[in-house]
Amino acid sequence: MDNHHYAHYIDIFKTRHDIIDFLMETFIMFKDLIGKAVYPKDWMVMNMVQNRVFLRAITQFSVVLTKRFLDPANFELQLWNNYFHLGVAFLVQDPLQLETFSVEKRQKIVDKYGDMRKTIGFQVRDMWYNLGPHKIKFIPGMVGPILEMTLVPEPELRRATIPIFFDMMQCEYSVNYSFHMFENELITKLDQEVEGGRGDEQYKVILERILLEHCRQHRYLATSGEAFVLLVSSLLENLLDYRTIMHDESKENQMCCTVNVLTFYKEKKREDIYIR
């Protein structure tokens, strides 16, 4: 399908509600197909062709979202929410994680299809910034999905998407004069993601560097923002140590790392995570 096919198809819907229903169902169906892995893992070509079709359609429909459902009178929260969740699900799916393939296979995929994660990641980033005053409606709900996206070990993607965190802090601060919702959600989700095996030392370094740069240039977030970033960096360090040491023979090392993580959550008054 060419661009004009997509445009024509959207134009044949008689009402705004018909377009909303169509997009809702399509986003849900795509996410479902991605989650269920229709083809076996080793059917690389079929997986890539399917993903290329998804990517093209998602890109076309993102234009429809921006044109028809962005201004305050027509804004559709659930539709945008479904779009973001689909974008992240697409990005983090197993068949697109190039690091897991042999060098030869990875090169073949990049030569023929490119790195689709970067394409969708940059698009999600642009769509986030398009939201303008609507951003606050997605905090803290979108913190977890954006974190998932930034944890994908692709340096360019990380550099492009980590600044969204600062934007979320800034956005919440401009409404509530604090960023507690964002802070609590990031700490909770970070704990879950690192425990689930994601995140690495390079992520800790790039996250700290980018967020510190942004915070230090901000008139009101320079102090509180910097303190928060260093706190998150220290948490990440403890969580990564804890994850690594769980396979260590030494019970003493294991206990030491466990105590570090527990102390952190006790000081932050995060009793729920402390108990878990």
Side-chain angles (χ1 to χ4, degrees), residues 2-227:
D2 292 331
N3 290 5
H4 74 271
H5 291 121
Y6 282 97
H8 176 71
Y9 189 69
I10 291 293
D11 285 340
I12 65 173
F13 288 109
K14 292 190 170 54
T15 70
R16 183 171 168 275
H17 285 295
D18 289 340
I19 301 177
I20 293 170
D21 288 347
F22 165 70
L23 290 175
M24 284 281 204
E25 285 175 21
T26 305
F27 291 166
I28 290 165
M29 179 185 69
F30 282 5
K31 192 163 179 282
D32 221 23
L33 289 170
I34 290 164
K36 288 198 168 94
V38 180
Y39 304 110
K41 273 185 183 172
D42 54 346
W43 287 27
M44 187 192 86
V45 175
M46 284 310 296
N47 276 312
M48 287 300 157
V49 168
Q50 174 179 262
N51 278 321
R52 190 162 61 180
V53 173
F54 285 164
L55 180 59
R56 183 152 170 64
I58 295 167
T59 303
Q60 293 294 322
F61 296 145
S62 71
V63 175
V64 179
L65 271 186
T66 308
K67 279 184 176 172
R68 296 175 185 251
F69 302 106
L70 185 57
D71 67 84
N74 295 312
F75 188 71
E76 285 293 329
L77 180 65
Q78 194 54 53
L79 193 54
W80 277 83
N81 208 33
N82 284 11
Y83 164 81
F84 284 125
H85 281 274
L86 168 61
V88 173
F90 180 89
L91 195 153
V92 301
Q93 62 174 299
D94 288 344
L96 295 187
Q97 305 317 308
L98 301 178
E99 300 76 26
T100 60
F101 302 135
S102 66
V103 176
E104 193 183 324
K105 188 174 179 182
R106 191 185 313 168
Q107 199 53 53
K108 268 187 184 174
I109 294 172
V110 171
D111 289 345
K112 189 162 186 185
Y113 305 99
D115 189 342
M116 289 190 251
R117 298 175 304 176
K118 290 201 280 192
T119 311
I120 194 76
F122 297 162
Q123 188 189 120
V124 167
R125 172 201 62 188
D126 294 345
M127 291 290 274
W128 169 263
Y129 287 119
N130 283 346
L131 283 171
H134 300 297
K135 287 174 190 168
I136 192 65
K137 298 167 186 166
F138 295 88
I139 301 169
M142 275 307 295
V143 174
I146 297 296
L147 176 64
E148 271 188 79
M149 186 166 74
T150 64
L151 282 165
V152 169
E154 207 297 314
E156 215 180 316
L157 182 65
R158 284 178 168 177
R159 283 194 296 273
T161 52
I162 285 173
I164 295 174
F165 288 143
F166 176 74
D167 197 53
M168 287 177 158
M169 289 164 69
Q170 194 175 228
C171 176
E172 191 189 338
Y173 185 85
S174 67
V175 176
N176 302 327
Y177 299 106
S178 76
F179 47 88
H180 291 321
M181 287 194 303
F182 169 79
E183 179 178 347
N184 286 334
E185 189 71 1
L186 187 65
I187 287 171
T188 303
K189 298 297 183 191
L190 205 52
D191 182 272
Q192 292 167 5
E193 291 293 339
V194 177
E195 190 179 20
R198 305 185 71 190
D200 48 55
E201 181 62 27
Q202 288 87 344
Y203 182 75
K204 182 185 89 73
V205 171
I206 195 170
L207 181 78
E208 182 179 322
R209 182 172 56 75
I210 289 174
L211 291 183
L212 279 180
E213 266 173 33
H214 280 79
C215 287
R216 283 169 179 164
Q217 289 169 11
H218 193 277
R219 188 175 169 189
Y220 300 112
L221 290 176
T223 310
S224 58
E226 183 171 337

Side-chain angles (χ1 to χ4, degrees), residues 217-236:
Q217 289 169 11
H218 193 277
R219 188 175 169 189
Y220 300 112
L221 290 176
T223 310
S224 58
E226 183 171 337
F228 169 66
V229 174
L230 295 174
L231 181 89
V232 166
S233 188
S234 133
L235 168 63
L236 246 175

